Amino acid sequence: MSNLPVPYKGAPREDAEPFRERRDSRGLRLGWTTGTCATAAAKAAALGLYTGSPPKMVDISLPDGSREWFEVENHGATRAAVIKDAGDDPDCTHGAHITARVALARRGPEAETELLAGPGVGTVTKPGLGLPIGEPSITHVPRRMILAALSEVTTEALSVTFSVPDGEEMAAHTSNARLGIVGGISILGTTGVVKPYSTAAWRASIVQQIDVAAAQGEPTMVLATGSRTERLAMRLFPGLDEVCFVEVGDYTGTALKRMGQVGMVQAVVVGMAGKLSKLASGVMMTHFRRSKVDGQLLAAVAKSVKAPAAVVKAATATNTARHFFETCIAHGVVEPLERVCEMAREACEEHTKGAVSVEVLMADFEGARVVARG
């Protein structure tokens, strides 16, 4: 095959340059999603199918309409790879060789381009992800990007198999196994661009996990505010499916809202004194830059349960809840901590307008045991 079936407007140029370096307002270098890299690899491999060799560089359209050029590794006449650059984000897939192999699909008037999972790319095995069971874990925006890029090369139906060397090992550092995505990483990205330390991706993963649990008919989620509290929670509730445990970080409110939206009825919030005291004051987004521990509230709680003077004083002695917590434990007084848990429960249930019943467990700072509940 020597001629492209349709005119290829983005024909490789000798003077083409790789993507321009992008930085955010903090000066951190932006990167590219697995979806963007898969799109570039697929287009390069498709060009190889018709010209005999993938080009050294290929351009694709991003979701915002801009276009970028990417360097391509030639792995054979119809196989190409793009190395993922995650910028300054600590992404476990940074450096991954996102590889695509292209062939003509079966002929016929109803033939459609198919996207397949090769080694290192995950396959969907559970409902709730918005993708058919048995299909590769390639989310909707990357699918559209890939199909659009291929349409710039040909009108024929193609079969595109994606693979990622060591992708299964990379996936062990993600929530894929918990979500029922087996065999490797997912091809992801809503903007095509990786923003370093993006909280949007974390929020999206929380929502995604709740959706999967709900699709399995699970009524309960355990919302842990950190990795230590999640490990403790898994010891406390050994009978729950792994998908029912999610590390929400500062996004307890986001998780609770989603649970109500998908019909889940019971949440167990497991956290430490700092985040739980913020929840008790009605703050559902608990990041330290967005909210502070309310020492006056803790003091009022201590007084309401007639705690010793040292405990009342500890409430406003520092800007953290840890000193208050440790003073309660040193004096053998758990009533203030229990009241904080009760107030956090009330605030969480109010946040869902009563759709979700909530239990709150306060862990010690080692994540070794529960010291109060409400």
Side-chain angles (χ1 to χ4, degrees):
M1 301 179 187
S2 58
N3 297 315
L4 303 185
V6 297
Y8 174 45
K9 297 178 181 179
R13 309 190 312 262
E14 290 298 326
D15 61 342
E17 295 182 0
F19 57 79
R20 302 179 302 275
E21 186 175 274
R22 299 184 179 190
R23 293 184 180 269
D24 64 13
S25 59
R26 300 163 294 176
L28 297 176
R29 195 166 59 87
L30 304 180
W32 303 106
T33 63
T34 48
T36 293
C37 298
T39 300
K43 184 174 181 178
L47 287 166
L49 176 68
Y50 292 106
T51 64
S53 178
K56 294 180 179 179
M57 298 186 67
V58 69
D59 70 317
I60 63 167
S61 179
L62 300 179
D64 66 1
S66 64
R67 298 189 72 89
E68 295 286 357
W69 287 85
F70 292 84
E71 294 181 340
V72 175
E73 286 189 349
N74 184 330
H75 289 189
T78 60
R79 190 165 179 262
V82 172
I83 300 176
K84 177 176 174 178
D85 180 355
D88 287 330
D89 192 68
D91 190 320
C92 68
T93 60
H94 176 73
H97 288 60
I98 312 297
T99 307
R101 186 180 73 250
V102 170
L104 288 173
R106 287 173 294 184
R107 303 278 183 172
E110 298 182 359
E112 295 184 353
T113 292
E114 57 182 354
L115 309 183
L116 306 174
V121 172
T123 297
V124 176
T125 67
K126 290 182 179 181
L129 293 168
L131 298 172
I133 292 175
E135 287 289 305
S137 183
I138 305 174
T139 55
H140 297 292
V141 172
R143 283 175 181 267
R144 289 198 297 269
M145 291 174 65
I146 293 163
L147 294 175
L150 294 175
S151 72
E152 295 179 347
V153 178
T154 181
T155 57
E156 293 187 282
L158 301 176
S159 176
V160 187
T161 302
F162 294 97
S163 59
V164 180
D166 301 320
E168 196 161 2
E169 290 79 1
M170 295 174 189
H173 300 284
T174 73
S175 59
N176 272 15
R178 195 174 297 191
L179 296 172
I181 300 169
V182 300
I185 65 169
S186 297
I187 305 300
L188 303 168
T190 55
T191 65
V193 178
V194 173
K195 297 179 180 178
Y197 304 97
S198 169
T199 56
W202 192 351
R203 289 196 304 272
S205 70
I206 292 168
V207 168
Q208 186 179 58
Q209 190 166 328
I210 291 169
D211 287 352
V212 171
Q216 292 181 200
E218 298 285 355
T220 303
M221 288 294 295
V222 180
L223 314 179
T225 59
S227 57
R228 283 175 291 176
T229 49
E230 185 182 52
R231 289 193 293 269
L232 172 61
M234 287 181 169
R235 295 198 301 270
L236 294 173
F237 303 100
L240 281 180
D241 190 298
E242 188 181 25
V243 76
C244 297
F245 298 86
V246 59
E247 185 180 333
V248 296
D250 295 305
Y251 298 101
T252 303
T254 298
L256 289 168
K257 276 284 182 67
R258 188 59 177 180
M259 288 182 65
Q261 290 168 352
V262 298
M264 300 188 80
V265 297
Q266 185 174 7
V268 181
V269 178
V270 186
M272 296 177 185
K275 284 186 169 57
L276 295 188
S277 67
K278 292 182 181 182
L279 294 176
S281 64
V283 176
M284 292 291 125
M285 200 294 170
T286 57
H287 194 277
F288 73 95
R289 290 179 180 169
R290 297 276 292 274
S291 60
K292 295 181 179 180
V293 171
D294 188 343
Q296 296 299 326
L297 178 141
L298 295 179
V301 166
K303 290 176 182 177
S304 73
V305 298
K306 297 180 171 55
V311 172
V312 176
K313 183 179 179 180
T316 55
T318 70
N319 291 327
T320 72
R322 181 162 189 156
H323 181 61
F324 178 73
F325 173 88
E326 291 175 343
T327 303
C328 287
I329 298 302
H331 285 77
V333 178
V334 297
E335 290 84 0
L337 304 178
E338 289 176 343
R339 181 58 187 143
V340 168
C341 290
E342 291 169 0
M343 293 172 67
R345 171 180 54 78
E346 293 164 0
C348 288
E349 289 181 343
E350 183 179 351
H351 188 66
T352 69
K353 296 180 170 56
V356 180
S357 174
V358 180
E359 181 181 11
V360 175
L361 308 180
M362 184 183 292
D364 62 16
F365 279 86
E366 287 70 44
R369 64 190 179 97
V370 172
V371 297
R373 63 182 65 215

